[in-house]
Amino acid sequence: MSENDANARYIREAIVEPAPIARARAHALELGVASVSPAVGAQLAVLAAATNARSIVEIGTGAGVSGLWLLRGAPGAVLTSIDNEPEHLVAARRSFGEAKIPGTKARFITGRAADVLPRMNEASYDIVLVDADPENVIEYVEHGLRLARSGGIVVVPRILAGGKTADPVQRDAVTSAYRSLVQETQESPAVLAAISTAGEGLLQLVSLSTD
């Protein structure tokens, strides 16, 4: 086993997922929905806590796994979660109810993110999670950076695409979009960018003031 494999296994096994989130993950598996890994979920919770997040947008609800991780880090925040699949939102509401999250702390919107995001207030959110329609990831990140306040964070899980992003031979549309996103954000003066390799990978972007 290589050092990288050993580290990945250690991180994977070290994270203890709270019971309500584990139940949400089980609901996701029943639906065939891919949730963020516990390693990435724990990072989301830390980011939410570190920023003292009060307003969060989630693009891609799944069955509520990522939303519950975010609210674990920022229990005082209000989460707005957008998904095009009503079944996913039903599962998320169930997961949030089982986790005893007050109804005032979560707002679920059924619709295409491309239609919903342009209507949301800019510079109003502490964290924007982009985890839906990977072929549209660049467009969604652009919206996310518009919605994030100065100092706010936009996060993109699965950025490593199972190792495909790092492999120059891989040139499918989604992998190319992830690779372009990494390059563009590294070069942009509007953000600070970092990539975590834990779990499926997490791109983290801090929106900088343009004043």
Side-chain angles (χ1 to χ4, degrees):
M1 180 182 294
S2 71
E3 179 182 348
N4 286 341
D5 290 339
N7 288 338
R9 178 178 176 180
Y10 178 77
I11 293 170
R12 185 170 60 249
E13 295 178 350
I15 303 299
V16 177
E17 193 158 56
I21 303 180
R23 286 195 294 270
R25 188 176 300 282
H27 297 329
L29 288 172
E30 292 170 2
L31 288 173
V33 174
S35 303
V36 298
S37 66
V40 166
Q43 291 178 79
L44 295 177
V46 167
L47 290 172
T51 57
N52 193 27
R54 288 292 179 264
S55 188
I56 301 171
V57 176
E58 176 184 52
I59 305 167
T61 304
V65 173
S66 53
L68 288 175
W69 271 116
L70 285 162
L71 291 179
R72 176 174 171 78
V78 174
L79 173 75
T80 300
S81 192
I82 305 164
D83 203 292
N84 198 37
E85 296 291 340
E87 190 177 18
H88 295 178
L89 293 166
V90 169
R93 287 190 179 95
R94 175 184 175 188
S95 296
F96 276 52
E98 292 173 348
K100 296 181 170 50
I101 302 296
T104 55
K105 293 297 181 182
R107 179 172 65 132
F108 298 101
I109 299 176
T110 305
R112 294 176 62 250
D115 297 329
V116 175
L117 293 171
R119 302 197 299 268
M120 301 182 73
N121 294 331
E122 63 181 54
S124 299
Y125 298 90
D126 301 301
I127 298 178
V128 180
L129 171 69
V130 178
D131 190 22
D133 307 328
E135 64 277 7
N136 296 320
V137 66
I138 293 177
E139 176 187 353
Y140 291 168
V141 167
E142 289 174 348
H143 278 297
L145 290 171
R146 180 182 62 81
L147 298 179
R149 62 169 176 78
S150 177
I153 299 175
V154 177
V155 286
V156 185
R158 299 178 228 283
I159 193 68
L160 300 178
K164 293 170 66 177
T165 304
D167 182 357
V169 174
Q170 304 295 328
R171 298 184 180 276
D172 62 275
V174 170
T175 305
S176 296
Y178 282 143
R179 198 176 289 132
S180 295
L181 178 61
V182 169
Q183 180 179 349
E184 289 175 13
T185 53
Q186 286 292 324
E187 296 173 349
S188 172
V191 299
L192 290 175
I195 301 173
S196 166
T197 59
E200 62 274 29
L202 184 68
L203 176 65
Q204 304 160 66
L205 308 172
V206 176
S207 177
L208 301 178
S209 174
T210 56
D211 296 339

